[in-house]
Amino acid sequence: MVKLSGQEPFLCCRQVLTLFAMEPPTKFVGAGSEISEHVRDEKVKVLRAFDPVRLDEVVLGQYLGNEEEPGYKEDKTVPDDSVTPTYAAVVFRINNPRWDGVPFIMRAGKALNERKTEIRIQFKRPPASTFMFETDVPANELVVRVQPGEAIYMKTNVKEPGLSNDIVTTELDLSYKKRFQDTYSQLPDAYTRLILDTLRGDKSSFVRDDELRESWKVFTPLLKSIEEKKIELIPYEYGSRGPAQADELIMRVGFKYTGTYKWHD
């Protein structure tokens, strides 16, 4: 299964999802504009393959204050009866041969315990691993950290060296800051790169009109159902992981969070 987490709005996370889930472009040759159209064609195909979102696979929340930070409604600019969500967890399903049966879990929120944007692919657990090691072996994961601290790392389980039969979780790590020390501090920010793409005629990072229409075909029925059925906003504390019901949702669709491993960039 695939989990996308971020603090950006859902439409930005959707852009990341389509880039991850799309098939390879049919052509890689030609001028920048021509190649970018093939990339955007594949992104649109992914959106057209989305199944309708089920309301029982949606969790919405709104953060409360704690001893140090105010809650959302304690802001003077926010009405006391505001029903604006500050957190959402949604399960998407892509109905095509490659992603059949693979849930895509998208989480985004404010006032959480971490500020990051990442894609986390959790692999199926190896058969009979519990009998081999007499413990619950965590799933291997491939993580693409978009920000902060750009990195790609593989969270993997290995047997501890020596006569012990214990399992240790470690990683195969490509952290940009460590690997490219001479150039990392000089990297342009995201918008600088987008301006350069514009000058080069590369449109692949920009949303085309049909992609925008297909996006709203996915989200508009969901937003309408949320408004009509008055889906409850679940309170969560400032600085937490979000509503506990969101963890229950992602576990229900097969993603298991152990919380025993912490990656250090």
Side-chain angles (χ1 to χ4, degrees), residues 245-264:
Q245 290 85 338
D247 286 333
E248 294 171 3
L249 169 64
I250 65 177
M251 288 181 65
R252 192 169 76 235
V253 299
F255 189 96
K256 187 171 182 180
Y257 172 74
T258 60
T260 58
Y261 170 83
K262 182 71 175 178
W263 177 71
H264 299 283

Side-chain angles (χ1 to χ4, degrees), residues 16 28 99 123 125 259:
V16 176
F28 287 99
W99 299 114
F123 298 98
R125 285 167 175 73

Side-chain angles (χ1 to χ4, degrees), residues 176-177 179-188:
Y176 280 46
K177 188 174 182 179
R179 178 63 181 84
F180 305 104
Q181 296 182 14
D182 295 337
T183 56
Y184 183 80
S185 61
Q186 303 171 22
L187 289 178

Side-chain angles (χ1 to χ4, degrees), residues 113-128:
N113 61 329
E114 288 184 281
R115 186 175 179 83
K116 64 181 180 180
T117 303
E118 69 177 21
I119 306 168
R120 184 174 295 266
I121 303 101
Q122 188 172 93
F123 298 98
K124 293 182 178 180
R125 285 167 175 73

Side-chain angles (χ1 to χ4, degrees), residues 15-103:
Q15 176 85 327
V16 176
L17 191 158
T18 53
L19 286 169
F20 173 83
M22 67 178 234
E23 295 294 323
T26 54
K27 290 180 66 177
F28 287 99
V29 296
S33 177
E34 181 184 354
I35 296 173
S36 61
E37 292 306 320
H38 295 303
V39 172
R40 300 202 287 182
D41 287 344
E42 297 303 326
K43 290 166 64 182
V44 171
K45 289 178 185 178
V46 170
L47 289 169
R48 287 173 177 164
F50 271 51
D51 281 340
V53 179
R54 295 164 35 187
L55 279 183
D56 64 337
E57 293 185 334
V58 176
V59 173
L60 301 177
Q62 189 180 83
Y63 70 86
L64 303 175
N66 55 24
E67 296 179 355
E68 299 179 354
E69 299 289 346
Y72 179 70
K73 291 183 181 178
E74 295 175 57
D75 188 314
K76 294 180 181 180
T77 63
V78 176
D80 293 338
D81 59 349
S82 172
V83 292
T84 300
T86 60
Y87 176 95
V90 181
V91 178
F92 295 97
R93 301 179 188 276
I94 300 176
N95 189 11
N96 65 18
R98 182 180 295 279
W99 299 114
D100 182 36
V102 178

Side-chain angles (χ1 to χ4, degrees), residues 178-209:
K178 295 177 181 177
R179 178 63 181 84
F180 305 104
Q181 296 182 14
D182 295 337
T183 56
Y184 183 80
S185 61
Q186 303 171 22
L187 289 178
D189 61 33
Y191 288 103
T192 301
R193 182 58 187 263
L194 285 176
I195 293 172
L196 180 59
D197 286 346
T198 302
L199 295 174
R200 290 173 170 171
D202 183 355
K203 304 176 185 177
S204 55
S205 298
F206 296 87
V207 177
R208 201 167 59 189
D209 56 349

